[in-house]
Amino acid sequence: MARVERQRRDAYTGAMTPGSFPILFITATRIGDAVLSSGLIRKLLSEIPSAKFTIVAGPVAAPLFLDVPHLDQIIVFEKAKDGRHWFRLWRQVRKRHWGLVVDLRGSAISGFLKRDRRAVFKRPPTPVHKVVEAARVLQIEDHPPAPYLFTSPETEQTAAELTAGEGPILALAPSANWVGKTWPIERFAQTAIQLLGDEGPLAGARLMVLGGPEDAQATQSLRNVVPKSRFIDLVGKVDLLTAHACLKHARLFIGNDSGLMHIAAAAGVPTVGLFGPSDESLYGPWGADTRVVRGPRDFATIAAVDPGFQQALCHMMDLPVDTVVSTARDLLAKTTGTR
């Protein structure tokens, strides 16, 4: 086994040379996809201590990598209508000789760069979970690295201050990038009331709500679930890495299928992901302490109703509060003493 792992490592590191080992790491545009592939960076760092990273990511995902050790540069990759975004990227990176180019977008750019090795995404014949799919690029799909986000001591200190207080924390992320994936906000409120009430498993706990600035109006109703002293409002107030660090202090996370759900799972908090018009076999939260819940319809049934997912329909209406609360209770019971 050790020999096989060594051979696989050599396949993407090439012959090691003294000094730094420059790696060009091209990752996703979306936050969730970027998080699901983030474990590759940690894996490469453990295998190549001299690695120096240039990370290419979309505008919303790029901040996830600000605290990566041995970071040379983050290149924000914005698509252009004329398709010239790849040419612009090539001009930014062409002068350097790369030890390794990891391209999770499956482009042809590595063929036009000076590099010793390259690992380029190829779409699998049979769809697999995105964590496994990313690991396959480095030929380590048998032991796919779990998503992992690096955070600086300063980020962790800020998070500790924001979450300071007595009692465990229930974290909610009621937003999503499309109305079809968004569970009604009033059901989040009802779930929180049952979990935090006198008879609930988190009786007396605090409530932390996360989301972007655009979510502030929709989450106002959650303020009334607990007293002000037990409410932690992070909606539109923290960056992604600080949100990740804050989630490390939570006892449980509940949220729609979204980037924040994957950030929570990467933080190690027990995570309940709410699914409807997305495929949990590909995008489910990763980790032993995660759960997926959906209503009576599976993904294929919903896709048949809205094939292009272009309709302004909420496909989450058939997910009842009782199902979410029951799953949350079970996960809390099974993770007692682990956090």
Side-chain angles (χ1 to χ4, degrees), residues 196-257:
L196 300 174
D198 291 341
E199 304 300 321
L202 291 174
R206 294 173 288 161
L207 177 63
M208 179 167 72
V209 183
L210 304 99
E214 67 280 2
D215 303 314
Q217 185 74 25
T219 57
Q220 283 298 313
S221 60
L222 295 174
R223 289 180 173 274
N224 300 320
V225 171
V226 294
K228 184 178 180 180
S229 61
R230 289 166 48 198
F231 188 75
I232 304 172
D233 181 9
L234 300 184
V235 178
K237 298 179 180 179
V238 296
D239 57 59
L240 293 175
L241 286 181
T242 303
H244 174 69
C246 287
L247 283 164
K248 294 179 183 179
H249 297 269
R251 178 65 182 89
L252 179 71
F253 170 91
I254 301 174
N256 300 312
D257 171 29

Side-chain angles (χ1 to χ4, degrees), residues 31 60 62-67 149-152 154-156 158-159 162 210-213 234-247 260 263:
I31 293 171
V60 295
L64 292 168
F65 304 102
L66 288 171
D67 290 344
L149 298 176
F150 290 94
T151 49
S152 68
E154 293 78 14
T155 301
E156 294 291 344
T158 298
L162 288 170
L210 304 99
L234 300 184
V235 178
K237 298 179 180 179
V238 296
D239 57 59
L240 293 175
L241 286 181
T242 303
H244 174 69
C246 287
L247 283 164
L260 279 170
I263 288 173

Side-chain angles (χ1 to χ4, degrees), residues 51-284:
K52 296 285 284 186
F53 286 92
T54 294
I55 297 175
V56 180
V60 295
L64 292 168
F65 304 102
L66 288 171
D67 290 344
V68 168
H70 304 178
L71 180 66
D72 260 352
Q73 183 183 9
I74 291 180
I75 297 176
V76 178
F77 185 78
E78 296 191 68
K79 289 187 176 181
K81 291 183 179 180
D82 59 6
R84 294 176 64 83
H85 43 281
W86 285 111
F87 179 70
R88 289 203 303 266
L89 176 60
W90 174 77
R91 291 185 63 184
Q92 290 176 277
V93 300
R94 67 184 175 87
K95 293 183 179 180
R96 193 164 189 181
H97 188 106
W98 300 97
L100 172 66
V101 176
V102 179
D103 182 3
L104 296 174
R105 293 175 183 254
S107 75
I109 192 172
S110 60
F112 300 94
L113 297 175
K114 293 175 286 186
R115 62 337 183 243
D116 293 330
R117 292 287 187 274
R118 61 178 171 175
V120 181
F121 168 76
K122 295 180 180 178
R123 190 168 301 280
T126 302
V128 295
H129 194 282
K130 294 299 178 179
V131 170
V132 178
E133 184 178 270
R136 189 170 287 172
V137 174
L138 296 184
Q139 302 176 34
I140 53 173
E141 64 269 26
D142 291 343
H143 302 283
Y148 188 88
L149 298 176
F150 290 94
T151 49
S152 68
E154 293 78 14
T155 301
E156 294 291 344
Q157 178 60 35
T158 298
E161 294 169 359
L162 288 170
T163 58
E166 295 296 325
I169 296 173
L170 169 63
L172 300 182
S175 61
N177 63 354
W178 173 50
V179 65
K181 296 165 62 175
T182 306
W183 203 41
I185 191 69
E186 63 271 15
R187 298 191 190 182
F188 276 99
Q190 294 166 16
T191 298
I193 289 170
Q194 291 193 39
L195 294 175
L196 300 174
D198 291 341
E199 304 300 321
L202 291 174
R206 294 173 288 161
L207 177 63
M208 179 167 72
V209 183
L210 304 99
E214 67 280 2
D215 303 314
Q217 185 74 25
T219 57
Q220 283 298 313
S221 60
L222 295 174
R223 289 180 173 274
N224 300 320
V225 171
V226 294
K228 184 178 180 180
S229 61
R230 289 166 48 198
F231 188 75
I232 304 172
D233 181 9
L234 300 184
V235 178
K237 298 179 180 179
V238 296
D239 57 59
L240 293 175
L241 286 181
T242 303
H244 174 69
C246 287
L247 283 164
K248 294 179 183 179
H249 297 269
R251 178 65 182 89
L252 179 71
F253 170 91
I254 301 174
N256 300 312
D257 171 29
S258 66
L260 279 170
M261 179 196 72
H262 293 298
I263 288 173
V269 56
T271 295
V272 178
L274 313 182
F275 277 69
S278 48
D279 190 345
E280 61 269 35
S281 69
L282 306 181
Y283 293 101

